[in-house]
Amino acid sequence: MKKHFLSLIAFVLMAGLVAIDACTDHGEPVPEPTQFSVSPFVSSLRAPIGMVIDEQGRFWVTEGGTGNNDGALVMITPQGAKTTVVTNFTSVVNQGNVEGISHLYYDNGTLYLLHGVEGLLYVIDVASVLAGSLPKDKATLTTENIRAFVATKNLTFDNNSNAFALTKGPDGHLYIVDAGANAVIKRDKNNHILDMFTTFPPIAPNRDPVPTGIVFDGTHFVLSSLTGFPFSPGSANLYKVNTAGVMVPYKSGFTTLTHLVLTVNNKPLLLHYADFTMPPGGPGNPPGFKPNTGSVLNEDGAVLFSGLDRPTDIKRWGDRTFYVLSLGDGTIKKLDY
């Protein structure tokens, strides 16, 4: 009995040490951010949407361009030098906004790039695309059709599809957020077959949830959402979905969330895109998103940094540094705490 009791104590102590070690930095706990100091990193990007950082510290950014079929994939060195790698992605102007290319995901030398307007997933071998002269044309890339799969499911009244964001799950499969279909699609890592993983119910009659970002926190997928017009304050949710595709209640009361990232402690940080204004009617005063009203929030809605111009992506580098990409002013800013 004593032997078993001592073994139990040893097991509990070991488990506790493992848990402590999981959220420490050189033996010290890493606190959650409460505010950030900001410094400029890159400017003059053309309607950027998505961003990833590879193991060499290079930034890969999707640019929407000007809406004249001039979307691009660009690479930015750790020192901030920009190179255009792939060009001629479809880009269009819809109600004054540039639309087309979406988010991307990097995994072990491969970029997975989504294009919502084209309905495609581009699979890009980094070493191959960087070989030879640049830029390459998008026609040289391998593609997979996401929209064709979604169209068979009739998930929304308009049977819409907008493949927008993606991440890798614990099983190695890719999980693709479709903001038009209000769904997450699983792409098999071996045969690349697509399957419906989960769908999102309307937040109200004729009001779509519009999922926008996805991460895996170790036990659940966590998803941000935008909601549809008129983007009512407090109407957007933060969702959790387990590995079986079952949605569980999480957090509510947000507005126009465009993306999210995990801290070193696996807590989500969220991007609030902007405040939506409804000025007096008339051709010269259309409704729209107010510049410089974007912010970084924690999962409880506390504002950690504000004044961003319509941010669309955020990534962590190390324990205490984050980079925020903003569509409105075409910048990447470095946030430290």
Side-chain angles (χ1 to χ4, degrees), residues 236-278:
N237 298 320
L238 194 62
Y239 298 92
K240 277 193 172 183
V241 179
N242 68 19
T243 54
V246 178
M247 193 173 298
V248 295
Y250 192 32
K251 302 276 186 176
S252 59
F254 298 99
T255 308
T256 59
L257 299 179
T258 49
H259 221 61
L260 74 168
V261 70
L262 296 174
T263 69
V264 70
N265 302 309
N266 280 336
K267 299 290 186 180
L269 294 185
L270 317 170
L271 289 182
H272 163 59
Y273 184 65
D275 297 338
F276 189 77
T277 60
M278 294 286 288

Side-chain angles (χ1 to χ4, degrees), residues 273-274 289-294 308-312 325-329:
Y273 184 65
F289 290 103
K290 188 177 179 181
N292 303 313
T293 57
L308 294 168
D309 193 359
R310 290 157 285 178
T312 53
L325 179 71
S326 293
L327 180 149
D329 60 9

Side-chain angles (χ1 to χ4, degrees), residues 200-210 225-228 232 234-237 239:
F200 295 77
I203 61 169
N206 299 318
R207 290 289 303 280
D208 289 334
V210 191
S225 68
L226 182 70
T227 73
S232 304
S235 61
N237 298 320
Y239 298 92

